[in-house]
Structures are given as structure tokens and as C-alpha cells.
Amino acid sequence: MKNMKKRVMAAFLTAAMVIATFAPASAATLNANQYLNKMTKAANKAASYEMTTNVVQKATMEGQAVDTKAVSKQTVFTNPIKSKSVTTTTISGAGLNSKSKTTVYVKQNAKGKIYAYTSTDGSKYEKMNMTGMVDDMSGLDIKSYSNAKIVKKNVKVNKIKTVQISAEIKGSDLGEVLAAAGLGSAEDGEDAIDYSTLASVKVTIWVDKKTYLPVKVSTDMTEFLNSYMTVLYQSLGMDDMSVDYSEATSTATYTKFNHAKNFTFPKACK
């Protein structure tokens, strides 16, 4: 049960980061208006940026309430790809009261392969090939979005004049991304999950009216995760297990486009 809870949180955090990182660049494929088109062009030209993501998850598992909060600060460079993120996660309830800090470095080598280095103690790093996952993430394109529309034409966010746009991401497409990340089943070798019934994720994007760069991306994954856990338990023959999410949201804010602070990789990230 404890491993399942960890897997649920990993799935949520992964999905939240996928949307926060890739939604701005892909959103322009939506048939919304010129703001989205110009946003894509501006975002694709950005050499670097910094991002802060706040994740909130409130769930009831087997009658026990579990609240999770995670704050991630990330620095991203795009060519070649390299990033650094530090995430502080607090979990309370159901015997899982804890606070942890995770550091992740991502870098692209001369051959184009992308690797992630993850540490929970700041000294030892676990290496993982992320090349395939990044390719799958980039698949969140026009087919993944629907119901795009302008909500407000003039909204100030962090003192920046923005256009607020809402859209949805198909749950089936996001489910495939999670599967590519190894989160589609409890153990290796399990049968693939049918993601066709998964609920969509609601996304709101605020676009800078002057630079056309994304300022903030907010996602509501509550319905998605409720449907995701239902099909996951069913695929594992665990129909007696239950989890209900009352909230599963994330908000990412972007700053320092083309002026992100550079960093060096630890010697352990080889």
C-alpha cells in the first residue's frame, strides 16, 4: 500500500511537471487566436527560463486523509537541454508524515541522449535515461488539446499584462505519457492500461501581451487522477482498493526568459 501511495504521488508530480514544462510550447497548435500562435514562436526561441511549480494534492485513501504539497524551483536551458530542479515535498496523514527534498539535474550529451540525475541527499545521484520520455512528452500536441478559448483579454499576473486562455488536455494522451515514464502499472511486466476512459485535464494559460511568452500555467487534474486510479486498480485486480481526490492542482510561474542563472553539474552527475 505504501509503494502504491508513492507511485500515485510520483504519477501526479510527473504529470504536473510534464504539463508545466511542455504546455506553453505546444499550446499554439490550438485553434485559439494570434496570442497562442505568437506565444509558441516566442517560447520556441527562448534559450532559457526559470520556473516555480506549486503542487497541491488532497486525497482520501482507504478512509485515511492524505495531504501533499510540493514546491519545485527549476532552471531550464534549451539548446542543448539542461536543467536543475529542487523540489520540497511535504506529506501528512495516513502514517506518511514526512518532508523531503529532491534535486534533479537533466542534461543532453553530444549524441543527443538525455539523462536525469536524481538525489535525495545531495551527494549520491541515480542516473536514468530520459530520452524516450522527453520524446513522448513532446507528443502532447494539437490532438491532445480541446475547447481552447480566451477567458479574459486583460489580466495582470505578477504585474504583467496577460491574456488568459483555457483549454483541456485529453486524459488518454496524458495517460500514455505516464506509461512512458513507467507509471502505468504497479510493477514491470503488468498488462497495459486502457487509458481511453480517463478524464481530461483542465489547463489555464496566461500569456504576456507584450512579449507573448507564457507567464503562468495552472492545471486541475482532480478528475483525471480519480479516473486514473480507478483504471489502475482495476488493471491490477485491486477493485477493493479506493482513493478519492478532492483536489489535485498545480501552478507554474515563469520568469527570466533568456536570462536564467547558469549552473554547473555536480561531479557525481556523469
Side-chain angles (χ1 to χ4, degrees):
M1 183 62 179
K2 182 177 291 186
N3 288 335
M4 179 60 70
K5 292 174 181 176
K6 290 181 179 179
R7 185 169 292 275
V8 172
M9 188 57 204
F12 178 66
L13 288 174
T14 299
M17 293 302 294
V18 165
I19 295 171
T21 302
F22 291 92
S26 301
T29 55
L30 294 169
N31 294 322
N33 63 16
Q34 293 181 341
Y35 282 106
L36 289 177
N37 291 324
K38 291 181 178 180
M39 183 188 70
T40 296
K41 294 178 181 178
N44 286 341
K45 291 179 180 179
S48 65
Y49 61 89
E50 295 185 11
M51 177 175 69
T52 299
T53 306
N54 289 273
V55 173
V56 176
Q57 175 182 312
K58 296 181 180 180
T60 301
M61 300 180 179
E62 298 302 298
Q64 295 181 304
V66 180
D67 291 349
T68 304
K69 294 182 179 180
V71 179
S72 178
K73 295 185 179 297
Q74 185 175 22
T75 301
V76 179
F77 289 83
T78 60
N79 189 24
I81 295 172
K82 76 170 188 176
S83 69
K84 174 186 177 181
S85 65
V86 179
T87 303
T88 302
T89 304
T90 303
I91 302 176
S92 59
L96 294 175
N97 297 311
S98 65
K99 185 174 183 179
S100 60
K101 182 178 180 180
T102 304
T103 302
V104 179
Y105 287 91
V106 175
K107 67 177 178 179
Q108 184 176 31
N109 65 19
K111 296 182 179 180
K113 298 293 184 181
I114 301 171
Y115 293 92
Y117 302 82
T118 304
S119 176
T120 56
D121 62 8
S123 58
K124 297 180 180 179
Y125 287 83
E126 181 179 347
K127 182 179 180 180
M128 182 173 69
N129 189 333
M130 296 283 290
T131 308
M133 182 179 175
V134 171
D135 291 340
D136 287 320
M137 287 177 181
S138 63
L140 287 176
D141 56 16
I142 188 171
K143 295 180 293 184
S144 304
Y145 291 82
S146 60
N147 301 325
K149 63 180 182 180
I150 293 179
V151 179
K152 294 181 180 179
K153 294 183 177 181
N154 295 286
V155 184
K156 273 198 173 183
V157 178
N158 297 332
K159 298 182 180 180
I160 298 174
K161 294 181 179 180
T162 71
V163 173
Q164 181 181 342
I165 300 170
S166 67
E168 294 181 357
I169 297 176
K170 293 180 180 178
S172 56
D173 290 341
L174 186 54
E176 295 297 335
V177 171
L178 293 181
L183 297 166
S185 61
E187 301 292 344
D188 293 338
E190 294 288 350
D191 293 335
I193 293 175
D194 179 8
Y195 297 110
S196 62
T197 61
L198 296 184
S200 296
V201 175
K202 298 177 182 178
V203 183
T204 305
I205 304 170
W206 287 263
V207 183
D208 188 324
K209 296 186 70 174
K210 182 178 181 180
T211 65
Y212 304 109
L213 288 165
V215 176
K216 183 169 72 170
V217 175
S218 178
T219 65
D220 186 339
M221 302 178 66
T222 309
E223 294 182 6
F224 169 81
L225 275 183
N226 279 321
S227 61
Y228 175 84
M229 292 310 301
T230 296
V231 297
L232 177 60
Y233 284 144
Q234 289 175 348
S235 72
L236 299 174
M238 302 168 63
D239 294 331
D240 57 332
M241 301 290 286
S242 66
V243 57
D244 179 68
Y245 292 87
S246 59
E247 181 179 356
T249 59
S250 70
T251 300
T253 55
Y254 298 81
T255 59
K256 298 184 179 180
F257 277 99
N258 299 316
H259 297 286
K261 184 178 181 180
N262 203 0
F263 62 87
T264 56
F265 291 98
K267 293 181 178 179
C269 298
K270 297 180 180 179

